[in-house]
């Protein structure tokens, strides 16, 4: 495990903590809103990789952006080293911005095509006036390029001259330029060829160790998550279903939705491919009109009247595991 051991003997340091966080979007009428993030409470520990998983549209990216103040929270708190950054104005938050960065999903859209590699990586350094001269900035850029495996002779090339994997490496170099503590990795390999994904994932692991980084890794490919994560947070319809150490979750999920997600992982063994898989049925609730009770109750085969009428709280199940379910699986 790359991240800290989560046990009672050595309580890990919390870098970021969200409490009852909500993010809603107006859709034209004051009484109608899209509930993208609903009552999320979680902690991210120093040095770990916390993976955020769930179906497309479940609010993973919105949560990631809200946690680092790229989107304003509708309500709730986000504490960065005990400072409530969700309550800060943009001006108040600016000194903290350099400590929290993001690697974006699409390496083709996240880099300005009119800027050279040098200028892309140098932009945050120049914005925060890290270096005293242009020459010093260029030297720092070359060091960052070397750290992510981009040859120095490509310094003055433009993004269109690079492959997708190389562009993502440039994005990683830009993200680490200010030596942040926390990086949100928003599906950083989903747009890349499978042959390139492992190279970028290995780079992220190497960079994490070299620069003492903490990751919130957003993804939906559970094979990738199994490779990178220390802990996993499962989301459905803007709500947290389960939080657990990776090995514990993959061995025995306690929330029905986690069970369905893990059962959907492709199996390479041809003798096991035809085994009967559990399939989610039922209607997906609208994010504009969330269920009164559990957000997963309309699709859960174990749902009861209590599930449909009472929203379950995120309960501590021991050993760092939390589950939002009235009847956790056994």
């Amino acid at each position: 495990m790359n991240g800290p051991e989560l046990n009672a003997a050595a309580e890990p340091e919390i870098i970021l903590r969200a409490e009852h966080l909500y993010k809603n979007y107006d859709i034209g009428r004051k009484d109608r809103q899209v509930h993208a993030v609903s009552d999320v409470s979680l902690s991210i520990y120093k040095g770990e990789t916390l993976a955020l998983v769930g179906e497309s549209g479940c609010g993973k990216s919105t949560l990631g952006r809200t946690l680092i103040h790229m989107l304003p929270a509708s309500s709730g708190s986000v504490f960065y080293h005990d400072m409530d950054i969700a309550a800060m104005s943009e001006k108040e938050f600016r000194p903290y911005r350099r400590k929290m960065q993001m690697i974006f999903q699409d390496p083709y859209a996240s880099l300005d095509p009119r800027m050279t590699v040098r200028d892309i990586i140098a932009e945050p350094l120049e914005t925060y006036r890290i270096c005293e001269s242009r020459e010093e900035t260029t030297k720092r850029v070359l060091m960052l390029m070397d750290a992510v495996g981009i040859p120095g002779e490509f310094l003055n090339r433009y993004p269109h001259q690079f492959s997708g994997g190389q562009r993502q490496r440039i994005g990683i170099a830009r993200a680490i330029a200010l030596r942040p503590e926390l990086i949100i990795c928003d599906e950083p390999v989903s747009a890349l060829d499978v042959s390139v994904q492992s190279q970028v994932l290995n780079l992220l692991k190497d960079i994490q160790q070299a620069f003492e980084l903490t990751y919130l890794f957003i993804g939906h490919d559970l094979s990738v998550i199994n490779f990178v994560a220390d802990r996993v947070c499962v989301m459905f319809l803007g709500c947290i279903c389960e939080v657990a150490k990776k090995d514990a979750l993959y061995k025995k999920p306690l929330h029905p939705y986690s069970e369905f997600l893990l059962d959907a992982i492709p199996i390479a063994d041809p003798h096991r491919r035809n085994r009967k898989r559990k399939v989610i049925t039922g209607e997906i609730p609208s994010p504009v009109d969330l269920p009164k009770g559990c957000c997963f109750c309309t699709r859960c085969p174990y749902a009861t009247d209590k599930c449909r009428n009472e929203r379950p709280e995120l309960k501590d199940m021991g050993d760092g595991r939390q589950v939002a379910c009235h009847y956790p699986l056994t």
Side-chain angles (χ1 to χ4, degrees):
M1 178 179 287
N2 294 328
E5 287 293 336
L6 308 180
N7 52 52
E11 189 69 23
E13 178 185 352
I14 297 175
I15 281 188
L16 201 74
R17 184 177 84 256
E19 292 185 358
H20 306 293
L21 190 66
Y22 289 82
K23 177 59 183 176
N24 304 322
Y25 293 99
D26 293 328
I27 54 173
R29 290 169 49 186
K30 291 184 178 180
D31 60 336
R32 302 285 284 177
Q33 292 183 319
V34 173
H35 304 284
V37 174
S38 299
D39 197 19
V40 165
S41 297
L42 59 80
S43 297
I44 304 176
Y45 299 106
K46 183 177 179 63
E48 76 165 345
T49 298
L50 174 63
L52 197 58
V53 302
E55 299 175 49
S56 296
C58 73
K60 303 186 299 296
S61 296
T62 298
L63 175 57
R65 285 166 166 78
T66 305
L67 286 174
I68 62 171
H69 214 279
M70 288 183 70
L71 292 173
S74 299
S75 63
S77 300
V78 180
F79 295 95
Y80 172 71
H81 292 301
D82 296 325
M83 296 293 295
D84 188 358
I85 59 175
M88 294 180 180
S89 66
E90 284 298 324
K91 183 178 180 180
E92 292 171 328
F93 178 70
R94 192 175 186 274
Y96 299 94
R97 163 61 63 210
R98 60 182 295 181
K99 296 296 184 180
M100 291 167 271
Q101 297 294 314
M102 176 170 275
I103 299 169
F104 297 93
Q105 176 179 356
D106 187 353
Y108 294 90
S110 62
L111 303 180
D112 190 330
R114 298 165 297 180
M115 297 174 69
T116 64
V117 172
R118 187 263 175 209
D119 292 338
I120 289 171
I121 301 175
E123 186 174 28
L125 297 172
E126 293 169 346
T127 299
Y128 283 87
R129 300 179 181 178
I130 302 300
C131 304
E132 295 182 356
S133 65
R134 180 177 176 84
E135 291 73 21
E136 185 182 346
T137 301
T138 301
K139 183 178 179 180
R140 182 77 67 91
V141 168
L142 288 169
M143 292 172 59
L144 290 165
M145 291 175 64
D146 180 66
V148 300
I150 298 293
E153 58 263 32
F154 295 167
L155 183 69
N156 294 311
R157 290 192 179 185
Y158 290 87
H160 73 270
Q161 296 174 284
F162 295 91
S163 67
Q166 289 174 318
R167 293 187 197 198
Q168 197 60 294
R169 288 172 184 266
I170 296 168
I172 294 170
R174 178 178 59 186
I176 64 175
L178 296 175
R179 297 300 297 263
E181 285 190 276
L182 173 68
I183 293 183
I184 309 295
C185 303
D186 189 6
E187 302 201 41
V189 298
S190 63
L192 305 178
D193 293 340
V194 174
S195 60
V196 179
Q197 288 185 4
S198 60
Q199 298 174 22
V200 174
L201 291 173
N202 283 322
L203 172 63
L204 287 172
K205 282 196 165 189
D206 293 341
I207 289 293
Q208 182 177 31
Q209 185 174 10
F211 288 79
E212 299 180 339
L213 297 170
T214 301
Y215 289 152
L216 176 66
F217 191 100
I218 299 170
H220 61 269
D221 187 332
L222 290 174
S223 299
V224 170
I225 297 302
N226 190 28
F227 179 73
V228 301
D230 297 311
R231 292 191 301 139
V232 181
C233 176
V234 181
M235 285 189 71
F236 178 79
L237 206 64
C239 305
I240 290 182
C241 298
E242 183 169 1
V243 182
K245 295 178 183 178
K246 176 193 66 180
D247 293 340
L249 182 77
Y250 277 68
K251 182 178 180 181
K252 179 59 182 176
L254 298 186
H255 194 283
Y257 181 59
S258 304
E259 182 184 46
F260 284 116
L261 281 182
L262 291 170
D263 200 57
I265 298 175
I267 297 175
D269 186 349
H271 300 291
R272 297 176 59 201
R273 283 180 186 165
N274 294 327
R275 70 180 175 87
K276 189 174 181 180
R277 293 177 180 267
K278 295 178 181 178
V279 179
I280 302 179
T281 58
E283 292 292 326
I284 301 176
S286 169
V288 177
D289 187 18
L290 296 177
K292 179 181 178 182
C294 175
C295 63
F296 190 58
C297 67
T298 61
R299 308 190 76 190
C300 181
Y302 313 111
T304 66
D305 286 340
K306 182 177 182 179
C307 301
R308 286 182 277 272
N309 292 287
E310 296 181 25
R311 183 166 183 171
E313 295 183 357
L314 201 59
K315 296 181 292 188
D316 187 354
M317 306 297 288
D319 196 29
R321 171 169 271 188
Q322 297 174 294
V323 180
C325 184
H326 292 304
Y327 309 103
L329 301 174
T330 57

